[in-house]
């Protein structure tokens, strides 16, 4: 997590020193913007090999390699005598950055003691702190020397490297090796390519603002640092908190349309009042709102529409979008020389609007992907999956309904996870079903880990199937009619809650049975987001099983549902 903080600092770290580098090394602004171009374009190309490397070395060794490259090349950039040397060393830094980005989330998920939910909060916290603190640290060190931020990153990453080698446990290698061509082949999928091209246009606007806006401001490094610290704080807050809230209320597509349109308007204001700091500075700071939202929501869109593994989709998407981010600052510098300082920002605003047009061509694909998708799973290790619906849900077949089963009365849905309370959830659902003559649907949402700009598989599909099968077998032993489903493409913890609620509506479940959170701290925040989405979208009764509550005592006049709860000792 500490290494992630330092890595994310790098996004805005060099912004406060761009004018200083230009002055001290007698370089034009367009030459200085190549610090972004070399870094991001090389990062983009290197993303194509990250899965090939990590699937052979393992996540920890790949992470260490990335950290080592960043330490070496950031120090070399700080010691460079010329702008050309810095540009070259920033390219090497980009290779290390790609290796680090591709594996840091996976290592945190594998290593965090708080489990999957806590790991995501930890990663997003590191992202927020890093983005917010990077410009401030760059401004403080830049007041001493333009070399300061480079040496600062090298020193902090060296600490992170040593700590990672000593303290982080070895991670297992992936079960299969990824081919070099996998990310490029993934871009054949129209939905993934559409989202990636949308992100390229958005990143053109993003990095035009980030890479060239410091020059017309004419501020000292520390003042530039404060401006971009305000920007970074808004990026962090809206990436971690604002984006999930909007996505939950509006959906991915509408959130993206609204956010891109608002961002285009802000960049247009920057284009019109480029030389007026009274407008330019607030507009740059406010742009952090839309950048933060878009970073999160676009990544969620990519993971939702993608037909391939999350790491491969993440690499393919990052390859395309970083190309746009890398070229934009350099093109801005050349346009200023050829025309005037307003033109790059007009073009950036137009690029964002082009992104909206591209997004609209994939609107149907994104809408289809957002709907509940599941796969049917067969009970018992030897059973084959039954033919499922046309969507990508995975049904799990269970015991056939008994002759006296009354399906018209609906179904009971047991929403399970990997926690110990899942057994109690299934037992309670079974007793309710027997009391009411209903069937049980055992449902588990296969979650992926998506945070910032990356995504990893938090749970293998086979493991999700096995979990559902185990609960179906438990129901079969008690002669309870049941089916099982693995819900696919839950973009995050909140998304899992929404999918469970919507699937319950689709099967007309009378009651959704689920477990209360069994832990506190950071993971509890994630459980809260899942619960809120479940409450918001559910059209069924909800029964929460609390293993720590005392048993319910039912009177003789209690209902069948209450008697079922009593029989399961449900709190």
């Amino acid at each position: 997590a500490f290494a992630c903080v330092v890595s994310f600092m790098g996004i805005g770290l060099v912004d406060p020193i761009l004018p200083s580098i230009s002055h001290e090394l007698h370089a034009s602004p367009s030459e200085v913007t190549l610090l972004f171009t070399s870094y991001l374009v090389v990062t983009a190309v290197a993303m194509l090999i990250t899965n090939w490397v990590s699937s052979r070395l393992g996540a920890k060794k790949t992470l260490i390699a990335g950290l080592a490259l960043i330490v070496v090349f950031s120090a070399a950039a700080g010691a460079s005598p010329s702008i050309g040397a810095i540009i070259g060393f920033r390219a090497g830094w980009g290779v290390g950055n790609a290796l680090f980005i591709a594996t840091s989330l996976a290592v945190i998920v594998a290593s965090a003691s708080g489990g999957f939910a806590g790991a995501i909060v930890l990663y997003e916290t590191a992202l927020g702190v890093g983005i917010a603190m990077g410009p401030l640290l760059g401004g403080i060190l830049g007041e001493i020397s333009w070399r300061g931020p480079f040496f600062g990153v090298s020193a902090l990453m060296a600490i992170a490297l040593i700590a990672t080698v000593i303290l982080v446990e070895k991670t297992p290698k992936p079960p299969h090796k990824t081919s070099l061509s996998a990310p490029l082949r993934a871009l054949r999928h129209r939905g993934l390519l559409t989202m990636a091209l949308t992100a390229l246009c958005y990143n053109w606007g993003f990095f035009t603002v980030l890479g060239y806006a410091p020059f017309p401001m004419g501020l000292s490094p520390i003042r530039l640092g404060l401006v971009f610290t305000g920007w970074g704080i808004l990026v962090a807050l809206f990436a971690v908190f604002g984006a999930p809230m909007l996505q939950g209320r509006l959906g991915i597509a509408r959130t993206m349309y609204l956010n891109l349109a608002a961002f285009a308007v802000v960049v247009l204001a920057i284009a019109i009042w480029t030389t007026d700091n009274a407008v330019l500075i607030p507009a740059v700071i406010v742009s952090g709102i839309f950048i933060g939202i878009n970073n999160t929501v676009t990544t969620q869109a990519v993971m939702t529409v993608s037909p391939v593994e999350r790491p491969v989709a993440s690499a393919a998407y990052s390859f395309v979008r970083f190309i746009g981010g890398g070229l934009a600052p350099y093109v801005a510098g050349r346009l200023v020389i050829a025309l005037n300082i307003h033109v790059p920002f007009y073009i950036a605003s137009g690029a964002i609007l082009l992104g909206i047009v591209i997004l609209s061509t994939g609107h149907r694909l994104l809408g289809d992907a957002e709907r509940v998708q599941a796969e049917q799973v067969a009970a018992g290790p030897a059973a084959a999956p039954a033919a499922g619906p046309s969507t990508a849900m995975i049904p799990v077949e269970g015991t056939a309904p008994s002759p006296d089963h009354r399906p018209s009365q609906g179904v009971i849905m047991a929403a399970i996870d990997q926690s110990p309370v899942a057994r109690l959830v299934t037992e309670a659902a079974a007793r309710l079903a027997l009391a009411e003559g209903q069937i049980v649907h055992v449902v588990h949402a296969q979650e992926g880990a998506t945070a910032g700009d990356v995504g990893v598989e938090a749970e293998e599909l086979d493991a999700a199937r096995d979990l559902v099968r185990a609960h179906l077998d438990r129901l079969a032993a008690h002669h309870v009619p049941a089916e099982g489903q693995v819900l696919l493409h839950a973009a995050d913890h909140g998304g899992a809650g929404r999918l469970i609620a919507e699937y319950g509506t689709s099967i007309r479940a009378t009651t959704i049975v689920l477990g209360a959170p069994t832990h506190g701290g950071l993971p509890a925040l994630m459980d809260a987001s899942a619960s809120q989405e479940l409450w918001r979208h559910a059209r069924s009764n909800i029964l929460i099983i609390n293993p720590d509550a005392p048993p319910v005592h039912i009177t003789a006049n209690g209902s069948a549902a209450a008697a079922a709860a009593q029989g399961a000792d449900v709190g």
Side-chain angles (χ1 to χ4, degrees), residues 253-559:
R254 283 194 290 176
T255 300
M256 289 182 68
Y257 284 127
L258 179 63
N259 189 68
L260 287 171
F263 186 36
V265 170
V266 171
V267 177
L268 180 61
I270 293 173
I272 296 171
W273 289 284
T274 310
T275 56
D276 186 351
N277 275 0
V279 177
L280 176 61
I281 291 174
V284 168
I285 293 173
V286 168
S287 72
I289 295 174
F290 311 108
I291 289 169
I293 292 171
N294 212 75
N295 282 349
T296 297
V297 177
T298 304
T299 304
Q300 299 282 24
V302 169
M303 300 308 158
T304 300
V305 303
S306 175
V308 299
E309 296 174 334
R310 284 171 180 255
V312 174
S314 181
Y317 156 68
S318 294
F319 164 66
V320 176
R321 71 184 181 90
F322 279 140
I323 292 292
L327 295 178
Y330 177 71
V331 172
R334 303 307 301 176
L335 287 171
V336 169
I337 294 173
L339 298 169
N340 62 62
I341 201 166
H342 301 273
V343 172
F345 299 103
Y346 281 117
I347 291 178
S349 182
I352 298 167
L353 293 176
L354 176 60
I356 295 176
V357 174
I358 294 172
L359 177 63
S360 67
T361 66
H363 182 85
R364 182 177 177 181
L365 290 171
L366 185 56
D368 291 343
E370 278 196 275
R371 297 186 183 95
V372 181
Q373 302 180 54
E375 178 188 287
Q376 189 168 2
V377 183
S390 59
T391 59
M393 288 188 272
I394 305 182
V396 182
E397 290 183 347
T399 306
S402 58
D404 60 348
H405 170 59
R406 301 188 296 277
S408 61
Q409 294 189 15
V411 299
I412 304 296
M413 194 170 88
I416 62 167
D417 57 15
Q418 301 281 2
S419 69
V421 76
R423 178 184 61 82
L424 299 179
V425 168
T426 302
E427 290 177 2
R431 293 182 182 277
L432 281 171
L434 289 173
E436 300 289 345
Q438 296 178 327
I439 188 172
V440 174
H441 277 232
V442 178
V443 175
H444 172 63
Q446 182 209 16
E447 289 190 55
T450 302
D453 297 329
V454 295
V456 298
E457 301 292 355
E459 178 185 31
E460 293 293 334
L461 185 55
D462 286 342
R465 291 187 182 116
D466 291 343
L467 176 66
V468 174
R469 287 192 185 107
H471 286 267
L472 286 174
D473 290 344
R474 184 174 290 115
L475 291 169
H478 294 284
H479 306 288
V480 177
E483 294 181 7
Q485 305 280 346
V486 174
L487 306 185
L488 305 179
H489 307 317
D492 56 14
H493 219 48
R498 178 183 62 80
L499 289 183
I500 290 169
E502 291 181 354
Y503 181 72
T505 300
S506 71
I507 62 173
R508 298 182 180 180
T510 58
T511 303
I512 298 174
V513 187
L514 69 154
T518 56
H519 44 237
L522 292 176
L525 295 176
M526 299 293 283
D527 285 329
S529 71
S531 299
Q532 288 168 3
E533 287 300 294
L534 181 59
W535 312 149
R536 182 177 295 122
H537 295 278
R539 298 294 180 268
S540 311
N541 295 314
I542 297 174
L543 176 61
I544 301 175
I545 308 303
N546 186 354
D548 298 323
V552 174
H553 299 286
I554 308 298
T555 64
N557 295 326
S559 66

Side-chain angles (χ1 to χ4, degrees), residues 228-251:
F228 282 94
T229 295
W231 168 87
I233 289 172
L234 292 180
V235 170
L237 289 176
F238 281 85
V240 176
F241 300 108
M245 181 186 69
L246 286 172
Q247 183 180 323
R249 293 184 180 277
L250 302 178

